[in-house]
Amino acid sequence: MIPRTVYDSDQELFRDSVRKFLEQEAVPHHAQWEKDGQVSRELWSKAGEQGFLCPTMPEEYGGVGVDFRYNAIVDEEIAKLGLSGIGFGLHSDISVPYVLNYGSESLKQKYLPKLISGEMVSAIAMTEPGAGSDLQGLKTTAILDGDEYVLNGSKTFITNGQMAELVVVVAKTDPSAGAKGTSLLLVEAGTAGFTKGNNLEKVGMKAQDTSELFFQDVRVPKENLLGSEGMGFIYLMQELPQERLSVAVNAIANALSIFEQTREYVKERQAFGKSISHFQNTRFKLAEMDTELTVAQVFVDKCLELHVEGKLDVPTAAKAKLHATEVQCRVIDECLQLHGGFGYMWEYPVARAWADARVQKIYAGTNEIMKEIIARSL
């Protein structure tokens, strides 16, 4: 691999701390969490104590005030260790930034310290049963009644859905205005009329709590509106590049880890009296995967640099998400094949990574939507 230059020595020290924390606090428990359908709540509190949640948040709210590379390091180390149940990326990279970027000062003071410390877990509720990538097709409504919005509707496939104490809800405050009628509201768990459905049983990411959310006449204070009414769709478009970069960072880190494990495995696996690493097919497959991963890592690192400089545009982020997740799925599928029958056994990391990776081409906007975004820019 080409040496990476996107991180400095201080950031690599931070990486060491994150890795040691995860090896101690998460790796020994992840198999049980897969059976439980969610990670332990205690993990969030411990991560908050160590400064691993929302490191980009300003110091005045309890954050560290560093750049997004620190978030990326947390994402990478979680991905390398196959800890797909840990929803720190959704929390730190995606939902909490909405509070910082669009919340009033009183909302920031109220929620950011708790989100940074791990006292509160967050989620963002965009997807609905009838509206996935088509955000303009949302049916959830929030109609102003005096000093409160009355929220009605349902959401599905919500990451951190079972554990979240604070949810950014995307709803129509003016159902007749299309995309221009979309707004973002902060809703606390436990609010009357807000209920959580079952923890959804998925093909992969079995330790990640993914839930349906239901809102029936939920009364949300007017001051819980993020930014201005009717600007929700624009806010979502502004924040999605970071979300898609986060997915790309995760994809390459995970694929690289599985590739390295496979490279070692083929040296040990025997067929026809010798290690399968001696077969031309194996060597060629490894060469192809190494090439794809090298190219993808360089591109994603460049996108990370651009993002830190405030220069990552929507089409480029779409390219990163599209390419990285396609590479991830191809590489892990080839790695599974090289493991033979053992690759299909859940006890092997490659099997779990194969199941976990598939959703990467679906969420944060499907890869078909990424192609549409890129095509429109040409």
Side-chain angles (χ1 to χ4, degrees):
M1 293 291 291
I2 295 173
R4 302 179 73 187
T5 58
V6 67
Y7 299 114
D8 62 28
S9 57
D10 288 342
Q11 289 156 354
E12 291 300 341
L13 286 173
F14 177 74
R15 182 189 300 279
D16 291 340
S17 299
V18 173
R19 184 185 304 115
K20 289 173 184 175
F21 171 81
L22 293 171
E23 288 174 344
Q24 179 177 334
E25 301 292 345
V27 171
H29 310 294
H30 203 263
Q32 182 60 48
W33 292 341
E34 288 180 335
K35 295 174 184 176
D36 296 341
Q38 63 182 41
V39 306
S40 75
R41 184 63 182 81
E42 185 183 16
L43 181 74
W44 284 86
S45 300
K46 289 181 177 179
E49 289 172 8
Q50 296 296 320
F52 298 150
L53 299 179
C54 313
T56 59
M57 294 296 115
E59 293 181 35
E60 64 194 276
Y61 303 113
V64 188
V66 291
D67 67 50
F68 188 76
R69 285 174 292 183
Y70 285 81
N71 290 47
I73 286 169
V74 175
D75 295 340
E76 287 181 351
E77 293 308 306
I78 288 172
K80 286 177 185 177
L81 293 169
L83 302 171
S84 58
I86 300 178
F88 295 172
L90 185 284
H91 177 83
S92 301
D93 305 355
I94 300 168
S95 56
V96 176
Y98 283 97
V99 182
L100 176 70
N101 295 335
Y102 309 109
S104 64
E105 186 57 34
S106 62
L107 287 176
K108 294 176 190 178
Q109 295 282 357
K110 182 178 181 179
Y111 292 121
L112 286 179
K114 294 178 181 179
L115 294 164
I116 294 164
S117 70
E119 184 179 341
M120 295 188 90
V121 173
S122 68
I124 182 165
M126 294 191 223
T127 305
E128 297 182 2
S133 294
D134 178 18
L135 293 175
Q136 298 186 58
L138 297 177
K139 302 297 183 186
T140 298
T141 59
I143 306 303
L144 192 61
D145 179 25
D147 291 330
E148 296 174 316
Y149 287 98
V150 181
L151 181 64
N152 282 285
S154 63
K155 302 289 183 177
T156 194
F157 310 142
I158 306 305
T159 302
N160 295 345
Q162 290 289 311
M163 208 168 283
E165 287 102 359
L166 186 69
V167 182
V168 179
V169 179
V170 184
K172 290 287 185 69
T173 45
D174 183 354
S176 66
K180 293 180 180 179
T182 304
S183 301
L184 308 181
L185 297 170
L186 288 180
V187 184
E188 287 192 40
T191 304
F194 174 19
T195 57
K196 298 177 179 182
N198 293 328
N199 196 5
L200 299 173
E201 188 173 358
K202 307 178 296 297
V203 170
M205 302 190 79
K206 293 184 178 295
Q208 170 54 251
D209 59 307
T210 308
S211 183
E212 297 173 303
L213 305 178
F214 302 100
F215 307 95
Q216 184 172 1
D217 295 329
V218 179
R219 302 193 76 87
V220 182
K222 187 178 179 181
E223 55 265 27
N224 278 31
L225 177 71
L226 291 176
S228 301
E229 191 174 288
M231 291 290 288
F233 191 74
I234 291 172
Y235 297 155
L236 291 168
M237 294 305 102
Q238 290 172 344
E239 297 300 317
L240 280 170
Q242 179 165 296
E243 178 175 352
R244 287 161 183 163
L245 174 60
S246 178
V247 171
V249 165
N250 177 294
I252 299 307
N254 179 240
L256 273 167
S257 176
I258 296 300
F259 172 75
E260 290 300 331
Q261 293 174 48
T262 303
R263 197 158 64 96
E264 293 303 313
Y265 179 79
V266 296
K267 295 175 185 176
E268 301 168 4
R269 185 182 169 202
Q270 298 284 315
F272 304 104
K274 59 181 177 180
S275 163
I276 68 166
S277 63
H278 291 107
F279 297 135
Q280 186 182 66
N281 179 71
T282 302
R283 291 186 290 113
F284 279 14
K285 288 295 183 184
L286 291 174
E288 290 169 0
M289 289 188 284
D290 186 53
T291 300
E292 279 205 285
L293 288 168
T294 299
V295 172
Q297 184 71 85
V298 171
F299 179 55
V300 170
D301 282 354
K302 181 61 179 178
C303 289
L304 184 53
E305 289 177 0
L306 288 170
H307 186 53
V308 169
E309 295 168 2
K311 298 178 181 177
L312 181 64
D313 60 29
V314 171
T316 305
K319 292 174 187 177
K321 194 267 182 182
L322 170 65
H323 186 249
T325 57
E326 295 287 346
V327 168
Q328 178 189 20
C329 288
R330 276 199 302 272
V331 164
I332 293 175
D333 190 70
E334 292 285 8
C335 287
L336 189 150
Q337 189 72 16
L338 289 173
H339 277 73
F342 291 106
Y344 205 63
M345 299 297 105
W346 193 252
E347 67 188 271
Y348 278 74
V350 68
R352 297 196 296 277
W354 182 75
D356 292 344
R358 187 58 183 83
V359 74
Q360 293 264 91
K361 296 197 287 186
I362 298 172
Y363 57 27
T366 65
N367 281 10
E368 289 72 25
I369 295 293
M370 296 306 99
K371 293 174 186 177
E372 182 65 28
I373 291 169
I374 296 162
R376 288 177 182 176
S377 72
L378 300 178

